[in-house]
Amino acid sequence: MRSITKNIGSAYTEPKKGEINSSEIKTVLIIRPNHRLGNQLLLTPLVQEVINTFDGCEIDLFVKGGVAHPVFEKYSQINKIIKLPKKPFNNLFQYAKSWISIKKKTYDLVINADKNSSSGRLLTQMAKARVKVFGDIDDSIKTTYPDHEHISKYPIYNLRHYLAKIGLDKANTDMPVLNIKLDDAEIENGNAILKDIIKNDKKTICIYTNATGDKCYSEDWWETFYRRLKQEYPDYNIIEMLPIENISKINFKAPHFYSKDLREMGAIIHNTSIFIAADNGVMHLASASLTPCVGFFSVTNPNIYAPYGNGSVALHTNETGMEDWIAAINAILN
C-alpha cells in the first residue's frame, strides 16, 4: 500500500503565498485512521496546535474505533468524530459509509496526521479542501529539530512549515503536550478514589506492569523493580493500575485499582506524583493526564514514542540499569 500511495499528493497544487489568510481557515479535518488508545492520545497535541493557530475553527476527526470520544470529550472545538469500524471486514457497509462521508463536506484545511498511513494519504486526496497537508516531512525540519521523529511532534513541525510556506500565520507557542483536559470535578473524583485506596496522606507512585507483545517485561523483572521501589521510597505509597485483563506482573502485591473508564483512570493518575510503565497506551494516558511519566523502552523507539512534557523521561532498558532508573525517578520526585 505504501508503494501504491507514496506519490499521492504529488499532483496537488498548493495555494500560492499570500492567496489565503489564516482567518479564512474555519473548518479543519484531521485524519488519523488508527484505533489504538496511544495513537489517539498522541493526536491531542496536533488538535491543540490547530486550535491555537486558527481562532474559532471547528475540527472534524477521522479515526478508527470509539476511543477518540472519551479522549476528546472536553475539546469543545471538535465538531464531529468520523469513525471507521475497528474490524472493517465485519462492518464493510459502515467502513464504506465513513470513507464516502468526507466527500459530503468542503473543508478549509485537511491534515493527514500520519506520514506512514496509506489510507490517510488516500483520504486526504479524496477530501474536498483548498489547503491539504499530506504529511511528508521536509528535509529542513529534519535538520532543524532533533526531536522531529516523535509521532506527536512531526505533524506539528510539518504543519508550521507548510503554513509558513504558503504565507499563513502559525502558532507562536511551545510544543503542545498530550492532554485530555480533565476538569476539576473529574480530578476531585480521582482524588477521592485514590484516597480510598491508600487511606493516608502520603504521596503516591503509580506503576502499570502490563504491555502488549515484546514491550511487556517479565514478572521477575517487575518483581525486582517493585522491591527496589519499596526500598527506595518508604515515604511514598506505591499502587498498581491494573490493565483491562485484570492481571498483575507483581501478583497483586501492591494496593491496586481497576477501571474501564479512561477519564476516571486519567483522573486517578493525575493525583499521583509519578507514573511508571513500559511503552503502552496507558503510559500515554498518564502523560495526557499531565502526570510525570517514566517510560521503559526495550523494543520500540523512544525517539518516536517517548512521553514528554511535565518532567517525563524515557529510558531504554537495554542501555541503562536499575541505578539509572532510580536516578531518573529521584529527579522527578525531587
Side-chain angles (χ1 to χ4, degrees), residues 66-74 81 180 261-263:
V67 75
H69 286 283
V71 168
F72 292 99
E73 181 179 314
K74 300 299 181 180
I81 298 177
I180 58 170
D261 185 324
L262 291 179
R263 299 193 68 84

Side-chain angles (χ1 to χ4, degrees), residues 69-87:
H69 286 283
V71 168
F72 292 99
E73 181 179 314
K74 300 299 181 180
Y75 281 80
S76 60
Q77 298 86 352
I78 299 294
N79 173 61
K80 184 179 182 181
I81 298 177
I82 305 166
K83 299 181 299 181
L84 288 175
K86 187 175 177 181
K87 296 181 178 180

